Amino acid sequence: MFYGWLAYDRSLVGQLAMFAPLAVAAWFVGNWYTSNQRRPWPLRWAAGTLVLVGSAMPGYMWHQQNPYGVAAQIRSVLLTFACLALLWYVPRGCWFAVRQTWISRHAVGLLTVLVLPLPWVLPFVGSFLQFLYVEDAFGIPADSASTPVYWTGAAALLPTLGCIGLLLPPLALYGWARHFHWAWEKSIVSVVSTGAAVALVVTGGVAFMSRTSDAAHRAARDVVNATAPDSYFGIQGVRICVQPLKSELSVHNGPLPTDRPLLAFSTDGDVLHLWDPARFRKHGGPDPVMSVRSAEVSTYAVSDGQIRCPEYP
């Protein structure tokens, strides 16, 4: 396959030159392939040629269809082999780690203990991620953005499964060491596996929190650019214009701008929390978050690209 991949970029003369060693190798491959019975030499050579050309053609065709260059193709090949190796290494190593142990003998009870807390753990983790998105990034109280419970659990599902998955390679390392009798209770392999597991879980948790923060920063950038932000697991920011219903308003961190759209994650409830992109652009200026009683204002959504609100008479 790799031979065919190398032959793609060659000229016709270069491809013929590369075919010469292939023709010689085909003789030996043909002799091996037809060794069960004596056959004429053209048939043996043709059989070897068919085997070698057939194995080289996938590489030739793959190079022809891949437009991303040599470096990208080499990376993709290495990544493919690495993934295949992990698919074989990790499950088998995990089985070596738990077989004929207390875990394998009490697997049903242990799985029950691990699965039962999930209905409480997932909403807790999801609420924390939603807190990072709404309150830590925008300064708006997280409980003001009401989302269904299933979205809260969905926000935590990928980080939870990801952190569990990161525990498997260190467990597989310990399993392979145990399989080859390199590991015992206080061995260096046990210490390294435990340390690697802790480091991977911490790194995964930080990565997922950074992913949430990046999503919030993208949403803020969208609002600054006068476009509606993308939804984040049931949290949907809306650009709205606010019109007061009376002359005097009780606005926290006012004054309340009525000439430009503001961001709100929910218009329900007694208090309306708003985020001002114009204040956000002014570094060192007033806090972009403000709040007002919902009964004192009326709101309506605006379309993308609209940067001004109609003047209030």
Side-chain angles (χ1 to χ4, degrees):
M1 179 176 174
F2 186 68
Y3 201 82
W5 180 80
L6 290 176
Y8 176 76
D9 286 333
R10 303 295 186 272
S11 62
L12 179 60
V13 176
Q15 291 178 355
L16 291 176
M18 291 187 68
F19 183 75
L22 199 67
V24 175
W27 173 257
F28 297 97
V29 173
N31 284 334
W32 165 79
Y33 190 70
T34 60
S35 60
N36 61 334
Q37 185 177 350
R38 185 171 181 82
R39 292 179 172 84
W41 71 265
L43 184 60
R44 284 178 284 166
W45 183 81
T49 302
L50 184 63
V51 170
L52 292 179
V53 172
S55 62
M57 281 304 295
Y60 184 91
M61 297 172 64
W62 174 59
H63 195 172
Q64 184 183 27
Q65 298 297 324
N66 196 322
Y68 299 110
V70 176
Q73 294 178 55
I74 293 176
R75 284 196 300 268
S76 64
V77 170
L78 294 177
L79 182 61
T80 300
F81 280 112
C83 291
L84 292 175
L86 285 176
L87 287 176
W88 180 82
Y89 157 81
V90 173
R92 193 169 177 83
C94 291
W95 169 244
F96 288 152
V98 301
R99 70 173 181 177
Q100 298 179 358
T101 62
W102 180 88
I103 296 176
S104 61
R105 290 192 295 268
H106 302 83
V108 176
L110 185 61
L111 286 176
T112 303
V113 172
L114 293 176
V115 170
L116 282 178
L118 288 181
W120 291 271
V121 173
L122 290 179
F124 173 78
V125 176
S127 299
F128 176 72
L129 293 176
Q130 290 175 343
F131 168 83
L132 288 179
Y133 184 87
V134 177
E135 190 160 347
D136 187 64
F138 291 95
I140 295 177
D143 55 1
S144 65
S146 59
T147 55
V149 177
Y150 58 85
W151 276 121
T152 304
L157 188 60
L158 181 60
T160 303
L161 294 179
C163 290
I164 293 175
L166 290 174
L167 290 173
L168 298 181
L171 180 63
L173 173 64
Y174 177 80
W176 281 104
R178 183 171 179 262
H179 177 68
F180 291 109
H181 305 288
W182 296 341
W184 54 93
E185 186 176 357
K186 296 183 179 180
S187 68
I188 187 64
V189 177
S190 303
V191 176
V192 170
S193 300
T194 304
V198 173
L200 285 175
V201 170
V202 172
T203 303
V206 172
F208 282 112
M209 288 189 292
S210 299
R211 181 170 171 265
T212 301
S213 299
D214 291 341
H217 294 155
R218 287 194 301 270
R221 185 171 61 249
D222 290 340
V223 176
V224 170
N225 294 329
T227 57
D230 294 331
S231 175
Y232 178 79
F233 292 102
I235 300 177
Q236 179 62 65
V238 182
R239 298 173 64 245
I240 60 174
C241 286
V242 181
Q243 291 184 352
L245 298 179
K246 58 182 183 179
S247 57
E248 295 183 359
L249 299 177
S250 55
V251 182
H252 175 70
N253 196 29
L256 178 67
T258 59
D259 59 340
R260 57 182 180 269
L262 306 174
L263 174 69
F265 288 104
S266 177
T267 56
D268 301 330
D270 296 332
V271 179
L272 177 62
H273 295 273
L274 303 166
W275 187 81
D276 187 2
R279 292 186 184 181
F280 176 75
R281 286 195 296 262
K282 297 178 181 178
H283 298 286
D287 190 354
V289 181
M290 64 198 77
S291 60
V292 63
R293 293 183 60 85
S294 300
E296 298 178 353
V297 295
S298 64
T299 62
Y300 61 91
V302 297
S303 58
D304 290 348
Q306 184 175 344
I307 60 175
R308 306 296 295 178
C309 294
E311 293 185 3
Y312 178 70

